[in-house]
Amino acid sequence: DAMVIQNPRYQVTQFGKPVTLSCSQTLNHNVMYWYQQKSSQAPKLLFHYYDKDFNNEADTPDNFQSRRPNTSFCFLDIRSPGLGDAAMYLCATSRRAGTGLSEQFFGPGTRLTVL
Amino acid sequence: GESVGLHLPTLSVQEGDNSIINCAYSNSASDYFIWYKQESGKGPQFIIDIRSNMDKRQGQRVTVLLNKTVKHLSLQIAATQPGDSAVYFCAENTGTASKLTFGTGTRLQVTL
């Protein structure tokens, strides 16, 4: 089935040690998103790609970077994780056409632990 | 700024009863709305969506109602089951944007 895949599902890193989370999709959607979600909160958008155009949220720290080498893959790089970056990271995809946005599908998430 | 919010943080219903989860939005330009279900430790799961040219849309056991006059959205779940226990988020989009704005979430607890 077409889907959004995130790897790994659980990631443990040390304080300050760079980490990369990956996302792939088989939906051929032109928009990909990265969200951060902490306990009992709504997902918080970090940035998104509309095709190759990168759109950063104003309050996303510089510590968070993203890459989208092709339509199917998108990466989240955390350059120097702090304890406050421990969270669930969600990837999502959507199709944006002239009529607007279509349904946004989420991956299962990667739970990041920072020691 | 514009926001989407929910009235009730926790809703407790008995198995078999109908559930109604409400959402208020403030952006009058919003024209697309989605309801998500999120179970513990999982990503949000798409339930149902509705565009602003409609006021009602039905799925399997779920109905979304949109009242643009008062900027209110609701999710109705018929014959609520224990498997419906989760946090439910509403999200909205405006036609010029590629992103969704999420509400704060409502936890639905189904009691036996």
Side-chain angles (χ1 to χ4, degrees):
Chain A
D1 290 344
M3 57 198 309
V4 182
I5 302 162
Q6 290 188 245
N7 286 303
R9 294 293 311 279
Y10 301 90
Q11 175 72 58
V12 180
T13 190
Q14 291 182 330
F15 182 94
K17 185 175 181 181
V19 66
T20 295
L21 309 182
S22 71
C23 177
S24 64
Q25 53 129 341
T26 59
L27 297 157
N28 201 33
H29 282 171
N30 54 358
V31 190
M32 294 188 76
Y33 310 78
W34 279 105
Y35 291 85
Q36 179 192 66
Q37 187 178 31
K38 297 191 175 182
S39 182
S40 300
Q41 296 181 20
K44 179 180 181 298
L45 182 64
L46 297 173
F47 25 59
H48 73 279
Y49 276 93
Y50 177 20
D51 292 323
K52 295 182 179 180
D53 293 333
F54 178 70
N55 298 271
N56 198 29
E57 293 300 297
D59 58 353
T60 298
D62 292 340
N63 196 29
F64 292 87
Q65 303 286 320
S66 187
R67 297 170 282 135
R68 188 180 186 188
N70 54 52
T71 300
S72 301
F73 286 86
C74 196
F75 300 97
L76 170 63
D77 301 308
I78 308 176
R79 294 192 296 186
S80 182
L83 298 179
D85 296 328
M88 174 77 88
Y89 289 88
L90 297 163
C91 175
T93 73
S94 185
R95 172 162 296 283
R96 177 163 176 74
T99 54
L101 204 66
S102 68
E103 60 267 67
Q104 188 175 94
F105 292 113
F106 283 82
T110 294
R111 170 73 63 187
L112 178 68
T113 300
V114 182
L115 301 177
Chain B
E2 303 288 1
S3 65
V4 180
L6 296 176
H7 296 302
L8 298 174
T10 303
L11 176 66
S12 185
V13 297
Q14 279 198 323
E15 182 180 7
D17 288 350
N18 296 334
S19 303
I20 301 176
I21 302 172
N22 296 302
C23 178
Y25 64 96
S26 57
N27 187 350
S28 56
S30 295
D31 57 5
Y32 178 58
F33 304 87
I34 304 177
W35 279 103
Y36 288 96
K37 171 188 179 183
Q38 187 173 26
E39 296 174 277
S40 181
K42 297 182 179 180
Q45 176 188 356
F46 176 94
I47 301 174
I48 193 167
D49 60 356
I50 189 168
R51 297 202 179 271
S52 59
N53 60 352
M54 303 174 69
D55 53 19
K56 181 179 180 179
R57 192 164 187 223
Q58 288 184 293
Q60 187 176 12
R61 280 201 309 119
V62 295
T63 300
V64 55
L65 299 177
L66 175 62
N67 186 330
K68 294 182 286 295
T69 301
V70 296
K71 295 199 280 283
H72 184 266
L73 189 71
S74 69
L75 176 70
Q76 300 179 358
I77 305 173
T80 311
Q81 303 169 359
D84 295 327
S85 293
V87 176
Y88 290 79
F89 292 100
C90 64
E92 55 93 13
N93 170 257
T94 60
T96 57
S98 298
K99 60 184 183 181
L100 296 173
T101 301
F102 278 82
T104 54
T106 294
R107 183 174 301 279
L108 177 65
Q109 295 177 332
V110 182
T111 58
L112 301 177

